Amino acid sequence: MLSLQKLSWLIPSAPLFGAILIGGMLISFNRTMNRLTKPISFFLIISVLFSTLLSLTLFLKNVTGQSFELDLTLASFNLHFSFYLSLLIDKLLLIAGSVFVIIMTGSYYFLDRRQGYVRYLSLISALSGIVFFSILNGVIPLSLT
């Protein structure tokens, strides 16, 4: 269980990495990337689906506790990142991931693949990574009282 707990950093980083990779390639090779909508869609959907399946695994194994902690000091800013896992957080990750996968899959089937489609999917992937990060980091206050 400890190794699953250590892998929780992959939940927000997989969609963010996919979005940054596709966004960088979109800036460099705009025309080519807009032609490759199907492989890009599958890549981004799979990156969000991977995070959702990892959160499902954490939920089914009942993994709880603090999994990641990092302190960054940039000039006069002190940033503290720490990922917490509990059953409520795992459920929220699972719900958010399922919603993002449904939105991205629905967008693949129902939207026309025109000029802004790749940008749209990469922004949704980045948004899912930010939502996963904020849930794991405890930015959203969660209390059962």
Side-chain angles (χ1 to χ4, degrees), residues 5 8 62-68 83-87 89 136:
Q5 190 175 14
S8 68
N62 294 327
V63 178
T64 59
Q66 185 174 359
S67 64
F68 179 75
F83 288 169
Y84 298 101
L85 293 173
S86 68
L87 293 177
I89 289 175
L136 279 171

Side-chain angles (χ1 to χ4, degrees), residues 10-15 46-56 132:
L10 286 172
I11 294 173
S13 64
I46 286 173
S47 68
V48 175
L49 187 64
F50 171 75
S51 297
T52 306
L53 291 177
L54 186 58
S55 63
L56 176 66
F132 289 149

Side-chain angles (χ1 to χ4, degrees), residues 12 14-20 43-45 47-48 100 104 119-132:
L16 282 173
F17 174 73
I20 290 171
F43 176 72
L44 291 175
I45 291 171
S47 68
V48 175
F100 280 114
M104 292 175 83
R119 183 176 8 169
Y120 165 74
L121 273 186
S122 62
L123 286 175
I124 288 181
S125 179
L127 180 66
S128 70
I130 292 169
V131 167
F132 289 149

